[in-house]
Amino acid sequence: MTNDSAPQPLPGAPEAPEPVSRALVPELLHAAVTAVGGVERPGQAAMAEAVADAVEHGEHLLVQAGTGTGKSLAYLVPALAHGDRVVVATATLALQRQLVERDLPRTVEALHPVLRRRPLYAMLKGRSNYLCLHRANEGTPSDEGEGLFDPVDALGGPTGKLGQDVLRLREWADETETGDRDDLSPGVSDKAWAQLSVTSKECLGATKCAYGQECFAEKARERAKLADVVVTNHAMLAIDAIEGAPVLPEHAMLIVDEAHELVNRVTGAATAELTVGAVNRAVKRAARLANEKAVDALQAAAENYHGLMETAQVGRVEELPEYLAFAVAGIRDACRQIITSLGETRDRALTDEDAVRKQAMASAESLHETADRLLTESPFDVVWIERNDRYGLGPASLRVAPLSVSGLLRENLYKERSVVLTSATLKLGGDFNGVAASVGLPGEGRLPDVRTEGEPAQEQGEDTPPYWRGIDVGSPFAYPKQGILYVAKHLPPPGREPDRPEMLAELTELIGAAGGRTLGLFSSMRAAQAAAEALRGRLDNRILLQGEDTLGELIREFAADPQTCLFGTLSLWQGVDVPGSACQLVVMDRIPFPRPDDPLMSARQKAVEEAGGNGFMAVAATHAALLMAQGAGRLVRAADDRGVVAVLDPRLATARYGGFFRSSMPDFWYTTDRNQVRRSLAAIDASAPPVRPVAKRGA
């Protein structure tokens, strides 16, 4: 990468320091690991050197780093040594906070004697994550109307939960230094937070707002502009790529942690929805300031759309029916009138009405964009009808998502900066090609050219696929000695119904042999509920079920009580970190293929097949393999962990694609011998140290 592509210093900011020699990276890593009280691992050192090499040559790197590798320090050390600004994007709040509150402060201090500087770092999120001082102090243009603070107590304060939360937020606005929602404890509902926050489209703008100089979101952006390391999330990265207007400061290096989540997060950011509720809110907001004719047109369009969506059939829509296209066009055209009406006095002096006007304009513009996108019927989009309510009784909505985000990422992610993508699960079926292709890098059999050590990177033409290489630095854990992968080959293949008597009998025996200590990962909430209900009547062990309490509380109770089991679905496959004897059996009820009627997945699979590829392997199998690799990773979280991953789906042993899934998971000792597994579980249970039971709430 040339100096011309590096970000230029901001006015008043210090000049970018000279990069530290790559030869010093091992010394710097040693200092950083020592500072956090850790121990250097071969995989960590290999990753740090690979990251430094990629930055030096202006290349892109995929790094699979198993649990316990210490990958955060492995990428932070060479990034800080390089000298130019780096953006770190991760999927979870927990890792963002760990980086900013623990890893970066220690690393910066540890590297200071060699770097002779203390790099600055900052966290940056989307505007709606920060409390808006204008709304907190000038009042909220609420969709709840006057009922927000009704009823009141004897002192005139709100008694309703929403009103109390909003009042607490206003008091917090005078105390907080960041205005960051994640710094508020205890938290508040999304509805309460929405009363005192704004989206980027609803914001009045720092130069116009009376609180622009104090604005929490603006302060966060200013800190990011001066920082050497900016920690953000995948959603912000997606917005930066999609919107065209940059929301992240210029940077010479991008690190995407938890990169297995990137495609889903970018897809989510690029997905739009046309709901009856959103249209009705736009009517209510526009009625205050827009001309009556435009409001009446939107009201009529809303009623027409509502009527159609009440009886709409869910599923993919390859071409909008004429009657539905007419309804969507009515919303689009009415929103255009609303936007014109609201914009007629845009240049006048700021008044108290502007917050209301901005909110109404944002609603109308968002609806107009979504309706126009639906009517365009691009071959690169997938459209479907969906019901979001729990019981499927309310009106449906239209959704539109990109068929693929690989092209979007290729065009916007890899130009003029080095990109490092890292995760514990990037190799599926034994190589990086599937994941690489999904994030916009050449894959699916198109192997990158090999560059020998010391050879300069290839010249990149306008249409040349980005050069990349992938490395697997392994894990410090001895998976074949610490874990067993057991496949219940004798069970019948699962069908569509969650009721599987033979599977439940097998699960009961496994939990009994393990003495509890079981994390049950199910492919659907129905299956998890059915299993919990059945086993609560068969076992003395306590069965916790996702949805019956907050996820954090359920995990806390599961980790503290060795005889407890925790059953759940998607968020448990990736979101549980319970080292020690509390989790010695991880059970997967079936291979988690996407539903055959999933509109987006089925459309992507069909597109691959029409292009001559294997749609099942490229989409359905890749999706399931990634989840299974993540789920299996819940078992071994520390060097002394022992246990079993049990897959109660015989297809993992009998189907042709079984080897693809097994090679995507940690290298556990593999067996289909049910008696051997029961003996192993009993032995592990007998040797497990006691865990103090958690005190039940209310006891």
mmCIF file of all heavy atoms in Angstrom, residues 171-189:
data_model
loop_
_atom_site.group_PDB
_atom_site.id
_atom_site.type_symbol
_atom_site.label_atom_id
_atom_site.label_comp_id
_atom_site.label_asym_id
_atom_site.label_seq_id
_atom_site.Cartn_x
_atom_site.Cartn_y
_atom_site.Cartn_z
ATOM 1 N N GLU A 171 -33.186 12.143 33.587
ATOM 2 C CA GLU A 171 -32.319 12.389 34.740
ATOM 3 C C GLU A 171 -30.900 11.907 34.438
ATOM 4 O O GLU A 171 -29.918 12.554 34.805
ATOM 5 C CB GLU A 171 -32.879 11.669 35.972
ATOM 6 C CG GLU A 171 -34.211 12.236 36.444
ATOM 7 C CD GLU A 171 -34.860 11.385 37.525
ATOM 8 O OE1 GLU A 171 -34.369 10.246 37.756
ATOM 9 O OE2 GLU A 171 -35.846 11.841 38.132
ATOM 10 N N TRP A 172 -30.801 10.773 33.736
ATOM 11 C CA TRP A 172 -29.494 10.219 33.387
ATOM 12 C C TRP A 172 -28.740 11.131 32.432
ATOM 13 O O TRP A 172 -27.507 11.188 32.447
ATOM 14 C CB TRP A 172 -29.699 8.833 32.770
ATOM 15 C CG TRP A 172 -28.467 8.099 32.375
ATOM 16 C CD1 TRP A 172 -27.508 7.587 33.203
ATOM 17 C CD2 TRP A 172 -28.048 7.771 31.042
ATOM 18 N NE1 TRP A 172 -26.525 6.954 32.473
ATOM 19 C CE2 TRP A 172 -26.835 7.039 31.144
ATOM 20 C CE3 TRP A 172 -28.586 8.002 29.773
ATOM 21 C CZ2 TRP A 172 -26.155 6.566 30.032
ATOM 22 C CZ3 TRP A 172 -27.906 7.513 28.671
ATOM 23 C CH2 TRP A 172 -26.708 6.814 28.795
ATOM 24 N N ALA A 173 -29.468 11.877 31.608
ATOM 25 C CA ALA A 173 -28.835 12.784 30.646
ATOM 26 C C ALA A 173 -27.960 13.827 31.339
ATOM 27 O O ALA A 173 -26.970 14.305 30.761
ATOM 28 C CB ALA A 173 -29.903 13.487 29.799
ATOM 29 N N ASP A 174 -28.285 14.171 32.584
ATOM 30 C CA ASP A 174 -27.495 15.162 33.327
ATOM 31 C C ASP A 174 -26.296 14.533 34.023
ATOM 32 O O ASP A 174 -25.433 15.255 34.535
ATOM 33 C CB ASP A 174 -28.382 15.848 34.374
ATOM 34 C CG ASP A 174 -29.495 16.678 33.743
ATOM 35 O OD1 ASP A 174 -29.259 17.217 32.650
ATOM 36 O OD2 ASP A 174 -30.580 16.762 34.338
ATOM 37 N N GLU A 175 -26.253 13.197 34.061
ATOM 38 C CA GLU A 175 -25.197 12.519 34.811
ATOM 39 C C GLU A 175 -24.150 11.863 33.907
ATOM 40 O O GLU A 175 -22.975 11.818 34.236
ATOM 41 C CB GLU A 175 -25.809 11.431 35.712
ATOM 42 C CG GLU A 175 -26.889 11.939 36.653
ATOM 43 C CD GLU A 175 -27.693 10.798 37.266
ATOM 44 O OE1 GLU A 175 -27.381 9.621 36.940
ATOM 45 O OE2 GLU A 175 -28.621 11.070 38.042
ATOM 46 N N THR A 176 -24.611 11.340 32.768
ATOM 47 C CA THR A 176 -23.721 10.542 31.920
ATOM 48 C C THR A 176 -22.696 11.394 31.191
ATOM 49 O O THR A 176 -22.965 12.539 30.826
ATOM 50 C CB THR A 176 -24.534 9.730 30.890
ATOM 51 O OG1 THR A 176 -23.644 9.032 30.028
ATOM 52 C CG2 THR A 176 -25.412 10.646 30.040
ATOM 53 N N GLU A 177 -21.517 10.833 30.990
ATOM 54 C CA GLU A 177 -20.486 11.506 30.213
ATOM 55 C C GLU A 177 -20.504 11.069 28.760
ATOM 56 O O GLU A 177 -20.010 11.789 27.892
ATOM 57 C CB GLU A 177 -19.103 11.223 30.820
ATOM 58 C CG GLU A 177 -18.915 11.810 32.218
ATOM 59 C CD GLU A 177 -17.522 11.554 32.746
ATOM 60 O OE1 GLU A 177 -16.717 10.942 32.012
ATOM 61 O OE2 GLU A 177 -17.233 11.962 33.881
ATOM 62 N N THR A 178 -21.067 9.881 28.482
ATOM 63 C CA THR A 178 -21.033 9.340 27.130
ATOM 64 C C THR A 178 -22.383 9.383 26.423
ATOM 65 O O THR A 178 -22.439 9.468 25.199
ATOM 66 C CB THR A 178 -20.558 7.883 27.148
ATOM 67 O OG1 THR A 178 -21.532 7.076 27.842
ATOM 68 C CG2 THR A 178 -19.216 7.762 27.845
ATOM 69 N N GLY A 179 -23.486 9.285 27.170
ATOM 70 C CA GLY A 179 -24.803 9.183 26.555
ATOM 71 C C GLY A 179 -25.009 7.873 25.827
ATOM 72 O O GLY A 179 -26.016 7.676 25.143
ATOM 73 N N ASP A 180 -24.089 6.941 25.978
ATOM 74 C CA ASP A 180 -24.134 5.643 25.305
ATOM 75 C C ASP A 180 -25.139 4.744 26.018
ATOM 76 O O ASP A 180 -25.040 4.532 27.234
ATOM 77 C CB ASP A 180 -22.738 5.012 25.330
ATOM 78 C CG ASP A 180 -22.645 3.730 24.522
ATOM 79 O OD1 ASP A 180 -23.679 3.068 24.322
ATOM 80 O OD2 ASP A 180 -21.527 3.390 24.093
ATOM 81 N N ARG A 181 -26.086 4.209 25.276
ATOM 82 C CA ARG A 181 -27.129 3.365 25.868
ATOM 83 C C ARG A 181 -26.547 2.208 26.668
ATOM 84 O O ARG A 181 -27.109 1.824 27.703
ATOM 85 C CB ARG A 181 -28.054 2.822 24.774
ATOM 86 C CG ARG A 181 -29.192 1.966 25.317
ATOM 87 C CD ARG A 181 -30.107 1.468 24.207
ATOM 88 N NE ARG A 181 -31.203 0.681 24.758
ATOM 89 C CZ ARG A 181 -32.188 0.146 24.030
ATOM 90 N NH1 ARG A 181 -32.192 0.326 22.715
ATOM 91 N NH2 ARG A 181 -33.139 -0.561 24.610
ATOM 92 N N ASP A 182 -25.437 1.678 26.215
ATOM 93 C CA ASP A 182 -24.856 0.522 26.888
ATOM 94 C C ASP A 182 -24.216 0.872 28.227
ATOM 95 O O ASP A 182 -23.843 -0.021 28.985
ATOM 96 C CB ASP A 182 -23.835 -0.154 25.977
ATOM 97 C CG ASP A 182 -24.499 -0.771 24.754
ATOM 98 O OD1 ASP A 182 -25.558 -1.402 24.907
ATOM 99 O OD2 ASP A 182 -23.974 -0.593 23.643
ATOM 100 N N ASP A 183 -24.082 2.161 28.523
ATOM 101 C CA ASP A 183 -23.578 2.584 29.828
ATOM 102 C C ASP A 183 -24.704 2.796 30.833
ATOM 103 O O ASP A 183 -24.446 3.123 31.992
ATOM 104 C CB ASP A 183 -22.769 3.884 29.692
ATOM 105 C CG ASP A 183 -21.466 3.665 28.940
ATOM 106 O OD1 ASP A 183 -20.995 2.513 28.922
ATOM 107 O OD2 ASP A 183 -20.934 4.636 28.377
ATOM 108 N N LEU A 184 -25.939 2.624 30.412
ATOM 109 C CA LEU A 184 -27.102 2.806 31.290
ATOM 110 C C LEU A 184 -27.419 1.487 31.979
ATOM 111 O O LEU A 184 -27.654 0.473 31.318
ATOM 112 C CB LEU A 184 -28.313 3.272 30.472
ATOM 113 C CG LEU A 184 -29.638 3.400 31.227
ATOM 114 C CD1 LEU A 184 -29.570 4.536 32.244
ATOM 115 C CD2 LEU A 184 -30.791 3.626 30.248
ATOM 116 N N SER A 185 -27.443 1.501 33.306
ATOM 117 C CA SER A 185 -27.749 0.281 34.058
ATOM 118 C C SER A 185 -28.646 0.626 35.251
ATOM 119 O O SER A 185 -28.307 1.506 36.038
ATOM 120 C CB SER A 185 -26.462 -0.386 34.545
ATOM 121 O OG SER A 185 -26.744 -1.568 35.247
ATOM 122 N N PRO A 186 -29.783 -0.048 35.379
ATOM 123 C CA PRO A 186 -30.339 -1.029 34.453
ATOM 124 C C PRO A 186 -30.818 -0.364 33.167
ATOM 125 O O PRO A 186 -31.036 0.846 33.130
ATOM 126 C CB PRO A 186 -31.508 -1.642 35.241
ATOM 127 C CG PRO A 186 -31.921 -0.559 36.181
ATOM 128 C CD PRO A 186 -30.665 0.153 36.560
ATOM 129 N N GLY A 187 -30.986 -1.172 32.142
ATOM 130 C CA GLY A 187 -31.388 -0.641 30.846
ATOM 131 C C GLY A 187 -32.860 -0.318 30.778
ATOM 132 O O GLY A 187 -33.605 -0.465 31.763
ATOM 133 N N VAL A 188 -33.301 0.146 29.624
ATOM 134 C CA VAL A 188 -34.712 0.464 29.393
ATOM 135 C C VAL A 188 -35.162 -0.231 28.111
ATOM 136 O O VAL A 188 -34.346 -0.735 27.337
ATOM 137 C CB VAL A 188 -34.938 1.983 29.270
ATOM 138 C CG1 VAL A 188 -34.580 2.709 30.550
ATOM 139 C CG2 VAL A 188 -34.152 2.564 28.090
ATOM 140 N N SER A 189 -36.460 -0.246 27.887
ATOM 141 C CA SER A 189 -37.004 -0.889 26.694
ATOM 142 C C SER A 189 -36.641 -0.106 25.435
ATOM 143 O O SER A 189 -36.306 1.086 25.494
ATOM 144 C CB SER A 189 -38.525 -0.986 26.803
ATOM 145 O OG SER A 189 -39.095 0.311 26.757
#
